[in-house]
Amino acid sequence: MAAADEAAAPWRRILIPVDGSEHSVRAVKFYAERLYSEKDHVYLLHIVDINDIVPMLALEDSDIGMMPVPDIEAMNKQKDARVAELKHTYEALLAENRVNGTFESVIRNSVPGDVVVQTAQDRNCDLIIMGNRGMGILRRTVLGSNSDYVIHHSHVPVMIVPPKDPCYL
């Protein structure tokens, strides 16, 4: 690699999944306050579940009868507005903390944790930072956890930023 390319290349590539929750904001702030380096590049990844924007089609010949299909165009406009709002919020948070980074929103029909792991691999990330909800062991076992999935499937280190007051039940 040429000297100019080495100087332009990020020192570390950090992936932080974001969803607008206080937990993902906490993860971004944790990075900015405790791990930041001006040579890093932060990838903020927002995952949109396709099931949230493409409703089940009407069932014409079923015992249930016709099911109303919501206005897909209106739903897509709502999704686009929400993504634009999140992008603005997170880009402002990066700028406020002088963090070099990009916001990306992807639409997927798969386990969010799998998308995080694959994106980290595709971007050659050195670290994944995630906020977690602080669910207790019983709730996490029943409901599942994206952070648990990422920890067990990632090939790069994963840092989990716990809530200030975790719930242990």
Side-chain angles (χ1 to χ4, degrees):
M1 185 182 280
D5 290 341
E6 284 184 23
W11 181 55
R12 297 179 300 189
R13 292 173 183 88
I14 313 293
L15 177 65
I16 306 175
V18 297
D19 61 4
S21 70
E22 67 181 88
H23 313 294
S24 63
V25 170
R26 188 177 61 253
V28 174
K29 287 182 177 180
F30 182 90
Y31 165 79
E33 294 168 2
R34 300 188 181 178
L35 301 172
Y36 167 78
S37 171
E38 66 182 28
K39 294 181 182 179
D40 288 349
H41 185 86
V42 173
Y43 296 97
L44 300 179
L45 176 66
H46 176 249
I47 302 164
V48 177
D49 184 352
I50 196 163
N51 296 315
D52 292 340
I53 57 172
V54 180
M56 185 168 39
L57 298 176
L59 304 172
E60 291 185 53
D61 296 322
S62 74
D63 294 336
I64 318 172
M66 288 291 285
M67 295 177 64
V69 178
D71 183 351
I72 294 174
E73 187 174 328
M75 291 177 72
N76 280 328
K77 285 181 182 178
Q78 287 178 330
K79 185 261 315 165
D80 290 344
R82 174 77 174 131
V83 169
E85 179 184 330
L86 284 174
K87 181 178 182 179
H88 175 75
T89 298
Y90 283 104
E91 286 179 342
L93 186 57
L94 291 178
E96 173 185 316
N97 289 284
R98 295 188 217 57
V99 173
N100 178 31
T102 52
F103 177 93
E104 177 183 5
S105 183
V106 296
I107 299 173
R108 294 289 186 271
N109 186 20
S110 60
V111 177
D114 190 45
V115 177
V116 171
V117 170
Q118 187 61 51
T119 301
Q121 183 177 338
D122 293 347
R123 303 281 185 281
N124 296 316
C125 290
D126 302 294
L127 176 65
I128 300 169
I129 301 174
M130 300 178 73
N132 93 346
R133 293 181 290 194
M135 291 191 297
I137 204 162
L138 178 61
R139 289 180 64 200
R140 186 173 51 245
T141 302
V142 173
L143 299 175
S145 164
N146 288 322
S147 55
D148 279 346
Y149 183 94
V150 173
I151 287 169
H152 289 96
H153 292 87
S154 177
H155 297 287
V156 301
V158 179
M159 177 180 286
I160 303 299
V161 180
K164 291 182 181 179
D165 298 315
C167 170
Y168 293 107
L169 296 177

